[in-house]
Amino acid sequence: MTTIAGTNPYTGALLDPVAEESNPADVDRIVESAGKAFAYLEGIGRVGRAGLLQVLADSLDLNAEELIQAADEETGIGPTRLTGELKRASFQMRFFAEVLLEGSYLEATIDTAGETPMGPRPDLRRMLQPIGPVAVFGSSNFPFAFSVIGGDTASALATGCSVVLKAHSSHPRTSKISYEIMAAAAINYGAPEGTLGMVFGQKAGTALVSHPLIQAVGFTGSLGGGDALMEAINRREQPIPFYGELSSINPLVVAPGAAAERGADIGAGLAASITTSAGQLCTKPGVVFVPHGPEGDSLVSRLTEDLSSTSVSPLLNRRIFESYAAITRALEDQEDVAKVATGKVPDEGGFRVSPAVYSIDATRLRRETVEECFGPSAIIVRYGTLPELEQALSMIEDSLTMTIHLGEDDDDLAHRLTELGRARAGRIIYNGYPTGVSVAWAQTHGGPWPSTNSLHTSVGATAIRRFLRPVTYQDAPVSVLPDELKDGKITIPTRINGHLSLPQPSA
């Protein structure tokens, strides 16, 4: 039997085994248990699930020290960022509890029976309902906020879906501890054992998405890993949705006016954004468009200066470490690409690397020049005219984000770049940096292929929409209707005969 163990990025040493790889019988038993728990989660309603999420959040806060210690040993991210990330994870749980209590996510809609220009209409009542047990695959770079205790888990539980988790190979001990803390808290709340489940190993992950009881998959990871799971899903007798966050380059454009007004400040901000968390963020700006001329030179000079004194934490695992070396080496072998900035050379072992920034003229940029590189590197593309900029931007894959830095006189360019951003990214940032994704009602963390393969967000209130489907009740007896669709006091935002009705505040 294959054992599952992480690696310490600080040293490169293999850590103690955490678990054995889950076999097909294990996967089947765990998913069957999740199927039985689904009825309970749907049955306790919005208020019951909100209470469950709040209890889970409390349990994470109470076990923060153990979680952070395990995650740092397996990821090398460092206690400071891990502390903030754990707070984000428990915040997400409480945030989705608020989404449940507010209720508009259900899209409750009532059209009462009556005459219409098209003839008689039956009584129609519609709302969203949970789809069933779901599988969640967490990310390597966020052991808390996008993994076992992350947003996919929180949003799926909020809808009433039981969750089976695939432990990440980069942090299996953190995954296991996270699961055990939440599972114990859920049982203490009164939830059945199958509310949360966990499997270990790559083969178990494939078996998990292939199981007929699994109704959707949430995935954060590489394009290759996502492709492999999608192939397994395509072999199923019953198709199911696969919600993958996969690959993103996140172009950042500096307009001429912005470079003239604050080029040095933008250079400093870029240095921080590129190297934050060792550049291992899905929203890291991987390609930066900077105008030719002295203003652009000033920006690059400040970026070079700041980067030269920057060292970063080790990369997460050997695969990312080796991939970073291969991608940066390939850039250095291209005659059109120049290396313009290098950070501190690491003086210790493990998976440590030196930050690096490269430059190329916009007229020489090709699609194959730029690929997603997990690590502290970026490519600067120097442009002279708007047509050059637009042509170079067309070489970049669609992304999660597009960032635009504007000056006071860049209004016309602002409109054109916004048009390009709307077509090719899920979030457009102005005069800022894409690293950092706030958990909020208006957030979108998604984008066109290959950044994701769906139209949904994985962060924010509407992430809940991925694990719901609409059901309409026609001329239904009152006794079978969900409470939210019955006549009487309105408890959640409800559209009745085309008009939105809101709950009245308590006296």
Side-chain angles (χ1 to χ4, degrees):
M1 179 66 71
T2 303
T3 58
I4 306 296
T7 303
N8 187 325
Y10 293 110
T11 65
L14 191 68
L15 297 169
D16 292 336
V18 171
E20 292 184 345
E21 185 174 32
S22 304
N23 60 41
D26 294 330
V27 175
D28 189 62
R29 172 180 52 80
I30 291 167
V31 177
E32 290 284 348
S33 183
K36 294 174 183 176
F38 171 64
Y40 165 83
L41 286 170
E42 186 177 22
I44 62 174
R46 292 180 297 112
V47 175
R49 294 195 298 276
L52 173 61
L53 291 172
Q54 290 163 343
V55 165
L56 296 181
D58 291 343
S59 72
L60 298 176
D61 292 343
L62 288 171
N63 292 277
E65 184 176 351
E66 181 184 15
L67 286 165
I68 291 166
Q69 182 180 357
D72 187 37
E73 185 177 37
E74 290 187 315
T75 67
I77 288 173
T80 300
R81 204 208 85 176
L82 288 169
T83 298
E85 189 188 330
L86 184 56
K87 289 181 179 177
R88 176 192 177 98
S90 59
F91 173 81
Q92 284 181 138
M93 296 283 181
R94 297 187 177 98
F95 174 79
F96 280 109
E98 294 175 1
V99 171
L100 284 173
L101 296 175
E102 189 268 350
S104 64
Y105 79 94
L106 288 171
E107 299 179 12
T109 307
I110 298 172
D111 289 321
T112 56
E115 291 296 324
T116 75
M118 299 297 296
R121 178 183 66 203
D123 184 88
L124 302 171
R125 298 174 187 241
R126 173 190 184 273
M127 61 182 274
L128 303 181
Q129 70 173 34
I131 57 176
V134 303
V136 168
F137 290 68
S139 68
S140 60
N141 58 334
F142 282 91
F144 298 141
F146 285 86
S147 289
V148 171
I149 60 177
D152 283 357
T153 300
S155 56
L157 288 174
T159 66
C161 294
S162 46
V163 177
V164 182
L165 301 141
K166 159 63 172 62
H168 199 284
S169 58
S170 280
H171 44 78
R173 182 165 175 260
T174 306
S175 297
K176 184 179 180 182
I177 294 171
S178 299
Y179 161 71
E180 289 173 345
I181 289 169
M182 287 203 304
I187 288 173
N188 287 337
Y189 184 74
E193 184 177 342
T195 300
L196 291 158
M198 175 169 283
V199 301
F200 292 87
Q202 184 175 346
K203 292 180 180 178
T206 302
L208 176 60
V209 303
S210 303
H211 198 287
L213 287 182
I214 293 297
Q215 297 301 300
V217 179
F219 174 84
T220 304
S222 68
L223 187 57
D227 283 342
L229 290 177
M230 283 189 279
E231 286 181 11
I233 290 170
N234 289 337
R235 293 193 294 268
R236 290 173 53 116
E237 183 176 342
Q238 173 206 13
I240 59 171
F242 174 86
Y243 300 117
E245 184 196 316
L246 304 168
S247 173
S248 192
I249 294 171
N250 306 302
L252 184 149
V253 180
V254 182
E261 293 169 15
R262 57 183 194 283
D265 289 342
I266 295 172
L270 275 170
S273 188
I274 291 167
T275 59
T276 294
S277 297
Q280 300 172 112
L281 300 177
C282 53
T283 53
K284 181 200 74 174
V287 59
V288 182
F289 295 85
V290 177
H292 280 302
E295 292 85 0
D297 294 343
S298 175
L299 186 157
V300 175
S301 177
R302 177 60 182 274
L303 171 59
T304 302
E305 178 185 343
D306 282 21
L307 204 71
S308 66
S309 60
T310 300
S311 59
V312 296
S313 57
L315 300 185
L316 292 160
N317 56 49
R318 188 174 300 281
R319 180 184 59 79
I320 293 173
F321 176 73
E322 292 175 349
S323 176
Y324 180 82
I327 292 172
T328 53
R329 190 183 306 117
L331 282 171
E332 292 169 14
D333 289 342
Q334 296 185 39
E335 61 180 27
D336 292 333
V337 176
K339 193 174 188 178
V340 297
T342 305
K344 283 186 175 180
V345 177
D347 55 5
E348 299 178 76
F351 301 143
R352 291 175 175 83
V353 297
S354 178
V357 172
Y358 303 85
S359 181
I360 187 172
D361 191 87
T363 60
R364 297 189 177 276
L365 185 68
R366 300 293 180 266
R367 291 187 184 276
E368 57 270 19
T369 306
V370 183
E371 62 178 302
E372 184 184 36
C373 179
F374 233 47
S377 73
I379 299 175
I380 297 173
V381 180
R382 302 298 298 268
Y383 68 91
T385 65
L386 178 58
E388 281 184 14
L389 173 59
E390 290 196 20
Q391 175 62 23
L393 272 169
S394 72
M395 300 290 173
I396 308 303
E397 294 177 341
D398 293 351
S399 294
L400 295 168
T401 73
M402 178 169 163
T403 302
I404 307 168
H405 279 262
L406 300 164
E408 291 185 1
D409 298 325
D410 288 325
D411 281 351
D412 290 342
L413 187 55
H415 286 282
R416 178 58 185 147
L417 290 175
T418 297
E419 288 179 10
L420 294 173
R422 285 197 312 118
R424 307 193 59 189
R427 179 166 57 109
I428 309 171
I429 299 98
Y430 298 88
N431 300 326
Y433 302 93
T435 40
V437 186
S438 297
V439 178
W441 285 82
Q443 185 60 271
T444 297
H445 190 58
W449 177 269
S451 60
T452 68
N453 71 323
S454 80
L455 302 179
H456 295 282
T457 178
S458 61
V459 178
T462 51
I464 208 169
R465 186 64 178 82
R466 297 171 297 168
F467 307 115
L468 295 162
R469 67 179 182 87
V471 172
T472 294
Y473 300 80
Q474 180 170 324
D475 293 331
V478 174
S479 61
V480 305
L481 288 173
D483 289 342
E484 291 87 351
L485 292 181
K486 292 177 180 177
D487 292 333
K489 184 179 180 181
I490 295 172
T491 58
I492 63 171
T494 305
R495 189 167 297 279
I496 303 174
N497 294 325
H499 301 285
L500 184 62
S501 299
L502 300 176
Q504 296 301 308
S506 301

